[in-house]
């Protein structure tokens, strides 16, 4: 399963939609269920799914499916780099 | 990368199918097995699925949440976890920080919602802000008054709430400050910050103890169990007024569900235990009575600790039983010879040891103890046995033990399955009462004849008029007794109180003692005087004292009393139900004749001889005082 598919499943569960209903166009402005509460719920559910923690600034920009995926990808890349750095130091 | 939290689509489909078919018990079982406390995503899925479901009003539990923070983040977790225990919840969530207005205003949405229970989830710094945030700004002597002031506000709200609602009220306690202002010397110079909040928690407990249907949720312990750093999420505390971490909302929900279970009468009554690798380590049949792991070293000490936890459950009223595949003689020998056993044979009210399947063993235990399968918890280390029981008797709650014995206690106690809302004197003795009956059963098997058995029991039967003090017990017995009950008529206390004032009604309680102990009031006879006869309307005995000729004594004394008043006959009626087989032949056995016109009615002539007392009973008749 690709990263995008996993995020799609998570977002679908939070918004109570089917995964195929979640597209690049799905956002706070196009989807009624995506309110402020849902935004935080999406952030929490993605954190749980990928075992990471966003900052408030990151959560604030997660207002669409595309930005969720982008923010998450950046975060995971950062973590990968940090992990490598740690292993080099060790 | 963790993918454990990714949902299991097969399980989801089984859940949805059961829900669509209206099979809520199976859907709840699926929900329970797919839902761990930390899975917010699965909780949302379940909660959403339930939203679309048609539900009948009477089956729904109405829960209102009042909070000083954004408690709506916990809504899906509460709905999902409650459903996994078979409870359908309708939630009302008051707008953030509106708890005071909602309680004070008699026309508020809270009261219009008509809740069965209300949670008041307000953080400690709302009631006592200075103690939390300005501790070094207050004089040391002010602390206790600030605590009293905070509790006073709650007491006032509780009193107002009670004027407008009879719902149960669950009040969050207070979590002490995590970083006291004085650091490591908090409490060194007088009452510390933490000590003050502990005092506030004690006073809240006191308030709840003395208020009907108000309960203090031990919030500090809930937080402590998870750990402060896992429980809270300070990002969301400040960004979204949501101080509790998303991954902990399931734990919060589970704590609420403990109360919901008790409030809906679903507290479990009986714990049925496997033996090998459950109460001790290893296989008894291979290792022998002193070879199994039970003692001071690992893993024996973990099993020992588990037994201690089980004994504590028994002491508060949980009935214990055994369902084990073993040779009965081996188990007997272990109980006799293994001195490390904390649980003794007499602690178990029913013992099913043999090679039959466990589902039928559980059904026999339910029948022996006369309790419903839905009140039984079955504990086993073997996943196959657990799966079999879940499939054949889904009403039984199954706890499949984890691999490591050190985790058994948590698995058993985590969900608070045996938690009720109060503890009565009867609860504290219940385990003993059932065990005594078991001892009496064993004595019966040993006695060469029934009469020897009766003599051996040394029974005293006390017949006494119902008094205001015994009336609640009398009413309770009419509501609960199904087997030895001639007409199965149910009465409330108010109905019986009216009869107390009517001289034509004879209301008699029956109290039974034997050499194993006092069974208490275990029978009721209600009869009414007519011109020339007395008519038995209600006659019931608790299953604990069936088969001991107590009924013969009660009928004999009734007949004698009627005879002395010059009455000619005793009339009785049997209304058959699916459960009252034990009384079908009651009147026939005691010389009554069937009414030629109505086959449910029986007559006993008392013109001449009246029935005799069983000679092995010591019968005491008390007069009305």
């Amino acid at each position: 399963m690709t990263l995008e598919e996993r995020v799609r499943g998570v977002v679908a569960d939070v918004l109570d939609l089917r995964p195929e209903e979640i597209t690049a166009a799905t956002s706070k402005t196009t989807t009624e269920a995506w309110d402020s509460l849902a935004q935080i719920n999406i952030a929490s559910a993605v954190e749980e799914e990928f075992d990471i923690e966003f900052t408030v600034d990151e959560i604030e920009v997660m207002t669409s499916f595309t930005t969720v995926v982008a923010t998450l990808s950046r975060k995971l890349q950062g973590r990968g780099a940090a992990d490598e750095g740690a292993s080099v130091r060790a | 990368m963790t993918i454990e939290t990714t949902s299991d689509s097969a399980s989801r489909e089984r859940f949805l199918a059961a829900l669509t078919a209206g099979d809520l018990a199976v859907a709840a079982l699926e929900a329970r097995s797919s839902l761990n406390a930390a899975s917010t995503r699965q909780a949302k899925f379940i909660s959403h699925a339930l939203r679309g479901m048609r539900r009948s009003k009477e089956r729904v539990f109405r829960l209102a949440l009042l909070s000083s923070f954004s408690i709506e983040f916990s809504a899906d977790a509460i709905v999902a976890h409650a459903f996994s225990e078979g409870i359908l919840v309708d939630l009302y969530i008051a707008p953030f920080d509106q708890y005071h207005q909602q309680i004070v205003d008699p026309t508020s949405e809270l009261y219009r919602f008509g809740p069965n229970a209300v949670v008041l989830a307000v953080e400690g710094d709302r009631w006592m802000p200075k103690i939390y945030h300005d501790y070094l700004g207050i004089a040391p002597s002010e602390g206790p008054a600030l605590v009293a002031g905070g509790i006073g506000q709650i007491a006032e709200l509780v009193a107002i709430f009670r004027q407008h609602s009879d719902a149960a009220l669950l009040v969050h306690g207070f979590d002490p400050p995590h970083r006291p202002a004085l650091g490591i010397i908090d409490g060194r110079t007088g009452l510390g910050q933490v000590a003050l909040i502990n005092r506030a928690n004690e006073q809240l407990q006191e308030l709840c103890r003395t208020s009907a249907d108000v309960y203090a949720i031990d919030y500090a312990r809930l937080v402590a169990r998870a750990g402060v750093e896992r429980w809270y999420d300070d990002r969301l505390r400040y960004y979204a007024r949501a101080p509790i971490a998303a991954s902990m909302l399931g734990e919060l929900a589970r704590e609420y569900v403990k109360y919901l279970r008790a409030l809906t009468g679903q507290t479990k009554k009986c714990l049925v235990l496997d033996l090998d690798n459950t109460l001790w380590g290893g296989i008894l049949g291979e290792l022998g009575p002193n070879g199994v792991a039970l003692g001071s070293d690992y893993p024996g000490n973990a099993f020992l600790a588990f037994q201690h936890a089980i004994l504590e459950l028994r002491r508060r009223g949980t009935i214990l039983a055994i369902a084990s595949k073993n040779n009965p003689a081996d188990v007997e020998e272990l109980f006799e010879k293994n001195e490390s056993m904390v649980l003794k044979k007499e602690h178990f009210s029913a013992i099913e040891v043999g090679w039959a399947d466990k589902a039928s063993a559980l059904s026999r235990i339910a029948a022996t103890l006369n309790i419903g399968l839905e009140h039984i918890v079955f504990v086993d280390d073997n996943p196959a046995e657990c799966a079999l029981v879940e499939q054949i008797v889904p009403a039984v709650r199954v706890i499949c033990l984890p691999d490591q014995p050190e985790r058994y206690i948590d698995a058993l106690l985590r969900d608070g399955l045996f938690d009720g809302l109060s503890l009565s004197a009867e609860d504290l003795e219940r385990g003993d009462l059932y065990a005594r009956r078991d001892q009496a059963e064993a004595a019966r098997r040993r006695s060469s004849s029934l009469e020897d058995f009766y003599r051996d029991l040394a029974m005293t039967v006390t017949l006494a008029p119902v008094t205001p003090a015994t009336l609640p017990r009398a009413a309770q017995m009419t509501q609960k007794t199904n087997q030895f009950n001639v007409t199965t008529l149910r009465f409330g206390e108010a109905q019986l109180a009216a009869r107390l004032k009517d001289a034509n009604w004879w209301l008699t309680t029956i109290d039974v003692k034997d050499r194993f102990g006092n069974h208490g009031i275990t029978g009721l006879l209600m009869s009414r005087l007519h011109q020339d006869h007395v008519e038995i309307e209600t006659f019931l005995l608790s299953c604990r004292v069936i088969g001991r000729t107590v009924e013969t004594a009660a009928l004999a004394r009734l007949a004698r009393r009627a005879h002395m008043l010059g009455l000619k006959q005793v009339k009785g009626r049997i209304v058959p139900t699916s459960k009252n087989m034990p009384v079908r032949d009651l009147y026939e056995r005691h010389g009554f004749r069937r009414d030629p016109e109505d086959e449910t009615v029986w007559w006993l002539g008392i013109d001449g001889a009246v029935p005799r007392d069983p000679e092995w009973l010591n019968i005491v008749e008390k007069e009305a005082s």
Side-chain angles (χ1 to χ4, degrees):
Chain A
M1 204 187 286
T2 67
L3 180 107
E4 199 173 306
E5 280 168 9
R6 280 175 70 190
V7 176
R8 182 174 283 126
V10 173
V11 174
D13 273 353
V14 174
L15 297 179
D16 193 18
L17 296 169
R18 290 192 306 278
E20 52 271 28
E21 292 176 279
I22 310 291
T23 69
T26 305
S27 76
K28 217 170 167 174
T29 43
T30 61
T31 311
E32 199 192 339
W34 196 318
D35 56 13
S36 307
L37 195 73
Q39 185 170 343
I40 288 166
N41 279 330
I42 287 169
S44 297
V46 171
E47 287 180 341
E48 179 185 310
E49 178 81 10
F50 293 91
D51 195 20
I52 48 159
E53 193 174 295
F54 295 116
T55 64
V56 170
D57 292 341
E58 285 166 334
I59 295 172
E60 277 206 294
V61 301
M62 289 164 63
T63 52
S64 66
F65 177 64
T66 325
T67 51
V68 172
V69 174
T71 311
L72 172 67
S73 304
R74 257 199 314 279
K75 194 90 187 173
L76 291 175
Q77 272 162 19
R79 186 170 70 174
D83 285 352
E84 273 165 37
S87 62
V88 168
R89 278 195 298 277
Chain B
M1 183 133 306
T2 55
I3 47 169
E4 290 160 30
T5 50
T6 305
S7 63
D8 171 3
S9 61
S11 161
R12 283 189 171 192
E13 273 170 29
R14 287 195 300 272
F15 166 74
L16 289 175
L19 207 57
T20 312
D23 193 344
L24 296 191
V26 172
L29 196 67
E30 269 320 319
R32 198 159 66 232
S33 58
S34 69
L35 195 60
N36 67 55
S39 175
T40 51
R41 187 179 162 188
Q42 186 65 5
K44 287 194 187 306
F45 166 75
I46 292 168
S47 169
H48 292 154
L50 292 171
R51 212 182 279 163
M53 199 188 89
R54 269 196 17 222
R55 43 180 74 181
S56 63
K57 252 198 169 150
E58 61 275 17
R59 294 204 45 186
V60 168
F61 190 92
R62 301 170 74 76
L63 179 66
L65 307 179
L66 305 179
S67 182
S68 63
F69 50 88
S70 298
I71 202 168
E72 55 267 40
F73 287 102
S74 68
D76 290 323
I78 293 171
V79 170
H81 283 276
F83 181 73
S84 76
E85 293 289 327
I87 302 166
L88 281 167
V89 165
D90 261 0
L91 270 185
Y92 165 71
I93 302 176
F96 149 74
D97 225 4
Q98 295 277 308
Y99 56 93
H100 195 275
Q101 295 91 316
Q102 292 282 331
I103 288 176
V104 174
D105 176 5
T107 64
S108 67
E109 286 177 56
L110 168 70
Y111 297 125
R112 286 207 299 273
F113 175 67
N116 300 108
V118 177
V119 173
L120 184 57
V122 175
E123 289 195 290
D125 64 354
R126 283 313 175 89
W127 307 113
M128 299 160 285
K130 284 188 170 172
I131 295 177
Y132 277 88
H133 303 304
D134 200 15
Y135 176 68
L136 296 180
I138 60 173
S141 57
E142 277 183 77
L146 292 171
V147 168
I151 300 298
Q153 289 176 53
I154 299 174
E156 199 178 80
L157 283 181
V158 167
I160 296 170
F161 176 77
R162 264 294 160 265
Q163 289 169 16
H164 304 308
S165 172
D166 56 6
L169 182 61
L170 316 179
V171 184
H172 272 221
F174 324 110
D175 192 22
H178 314 136
R179 307 210 187 285
L182 283 173
I184 60 172
I185 60 160
D186 182 52
R188 182 107 186 145
T189 59
L191 266 181
Q193 228 174 337
V194 171
L196 283 169
I197 298 305
N198 288 341
R199 175 178 288 197
N201 277 321
E202 283 167 25
Q203 292 185 8
L204 178 68
Q205 280 288 2
E206 173 75 29
L207 170 68
C208 294
R209 243 194 324 272
T210 53
S211 314
D213 256 340
V214 182
Y215 307 94
I217 292 180
D218 191 347
Y219 188 65
R221 189 174 43 78
L222 192 57
V223 174
R225 211 160 51 216
V228 164
E229 294 182 1
R230 284 173 65 215
W231 184 265
Y232 294 106
D233 182 337
D234 281 335
R235 292 172 310 162
L236 295 185
R237 171 191 291 280
Y238 294 108
Y239 179 58
R241 300 179 201 284
I244 305 172
S247 58
M248 292 291 119
L249 295 172
E251 291 293 342
L252 180 70
R254 285 184 176 197
E255 194 69 13
Y256 293 162
V257 169
K258 291 177 187 174
Y259 289 89
L260 305 195
R261 186 190 297 109
L263 286 165
T264 52
Q266 299 181 69
T267 300
K268 305 297 180 186
K269 296 177 180 167
C270 174
L271 172 59
V272 182
L273 295 147
D274 170 51
L275 294 177
D276 290 338
N277 285 318
T278 295
L279 291 192
W280 54 72
I283 309 291
L284 172 61
E286 293 169 4
L287 302 169
N290 283 306
V292 296
L294 189 69
S296 52
D297 300 319
Y298 188 84
N301 50 4
F303 286 101
L304 209 55
F306 188 49
Q307 291 203 11
H308 276 291
I310 293 166
L311 182 59
E312 292 287 70
L313 281 179
R314 183 181 185 275
R315 286 174 173 153
R316 60 183 245 201
T318 305
I319 303 165
L320 302 184
I322 292 171
S324 162
K325 287 185 178 166
N326 253 310
N327 284 321
D330 291 350
V331 174
E332 286 284 336
E333 191 188 8
L334 177 133
F335 274 122
E336 274 167 35
K337 294 190 177 163
N338 190 318
E339 291 180 357
S340 299
M341 286 287 288
V342 170
L343 294 169
K344 310 291 183 193
K345 193 182 170 197
E346 60 266 26
H347 292 141
F348 296 95
S349 303
I351 298 182
E352 287 283 339
V353 177
W355 301 98
D357 73 276
K358 297 212 175 177
S360 50
L362 283 163
S363 300
R364 277 195 302 276
I365 288 169
T368 307
L369 300 174
N370 197 25
I371 55 176
L373 288 165
E374 70 279 10
H375 288 122
I376 291 181
V377 175
F378 170 64
V379 172
D380 202 312
D381 65 296
N382 181 340
E385 300 283 13
C386 293
L388 175 99
V389 169
E390 271 186 348
Q391 197 178 350
I392 299 183
V393 275
V396 169
R397 176 63 180 265
V398 176
I399 295 176
C400 201
L401 293 169
D403 290 337
Q404 306 92 325
E406 64 272 23
R407 294 174 55 203
Y408 283 9
I409 294 177
D410 187 54
L412 176 65
L413 300 181
R414 185 175 51 217
D415 290 330
L417 297 171
F418 305 97
D419 290 355
L421 295 173
S422 63
L423 197 62
S424 69
E426 209 200 1
D427 290 330
L428 292 171
E429 287 206 347
R430 181 174 300 117
D432 286 334
L433 289 172
Y434 276 87
R436 271 178 221 146
R437 195 185 52 163
D438 219 43
Q439 289 167 359
E441 281 297 317
R444 184 205 298 273
R445 275 178 246 125
R446 278 198 306 274
S447 302
S448 51
S449 75
L450 257 185
E451 294 186 4
D452 284 349
F453 164 68
Y454 294 143
R455 273 191 200 93
D456 192 45
L457 277 176
M459 287 182 281
T460 296
V461 174
T462 305
L463 306 170
V466 172
T467 65
T470 59
L471 187 132
R473 173 65 183 154
Q476 185 193 41
M477 280 192 295
T478 71
Q479 291 150 21
K480 286 170 65 175
T481 311
N482 297 316
Q483 296 185 338
F484 195 105
N485 194 338
V486 291
T487 47
T488 321
L489 297 169
R490 315 292 193 190
F491 297 97
E493 291 180 29
Q495 289 168 291
L496 295 191
R499 290 185 176 184
L500 276 187
K501 298 189 192 115
D502 185 341
N504 286 324
W505 277 104
W506 290 351
L507 313 182
T508 306
T509 54
I510 303 164
D511 178 292
V512 180
K513 282 189 199 57
D514 62 33
R515 72 183 176 90
F516 298 109
N518 186 0
H519 293 276
I521 294 175
T522 39
L524 178 69
L525 180 58
M526 299 200 284
S527 46
R528 190 173 188 188
L529 287 179
H530 293 273
Q531 194 112 47
D532 66 339
H533 70 275
V534 59
E535 178 181 359
I536 300 170
E537 179 226 41
T538 292
F539 187 16
L540 59 85
L541 290 177
S542 156
C543 53
R544 292 205 293 268
V545 296
I546 295 181
R548 296 179 171 205
T549 72
V550 174
E551 64 278 21
T552 306
L555 285 175
R557 293 300 172 116
L558 176 73
R560 197 173 307 167
R561 187 173 170 190
H563 177 74
M564 287 192 314
L565 286 178
L567 303 180
K568 308 288 184 227
Q569 295 190 92
V570 178
K571 179 182 176 184
R573 183 189 291 273
I574 305 274
V575 179
T577 68
S578 62
K579 292 196 171 159
N580 71 354
M581 288 308 292
V583 287
R584 297 287 172 79
D585 65 347
L586 171 71
Y587 293 128
E588 196 171 11
R589 276 198 289 127
H590 289 90
F592 286 60
R593 286 177 206 287
R594 197 190 285 267
D595 188 292
E597 318 226 306
D598 183 344
E599 65 169 19
T600 67
V601 172
W602 296 79
W603 295 93
L604 177 70
I606 48 173
D607 255 350
V610 295
R612 287 183 19 213
D613 294 337
E615 56 181 278
W616 39 81
L617 293 181
N618 172 31
I619 302 173
V620 178
E621 280 192 86
K622 283 197 182 161
E623 298 295 321
S625 52

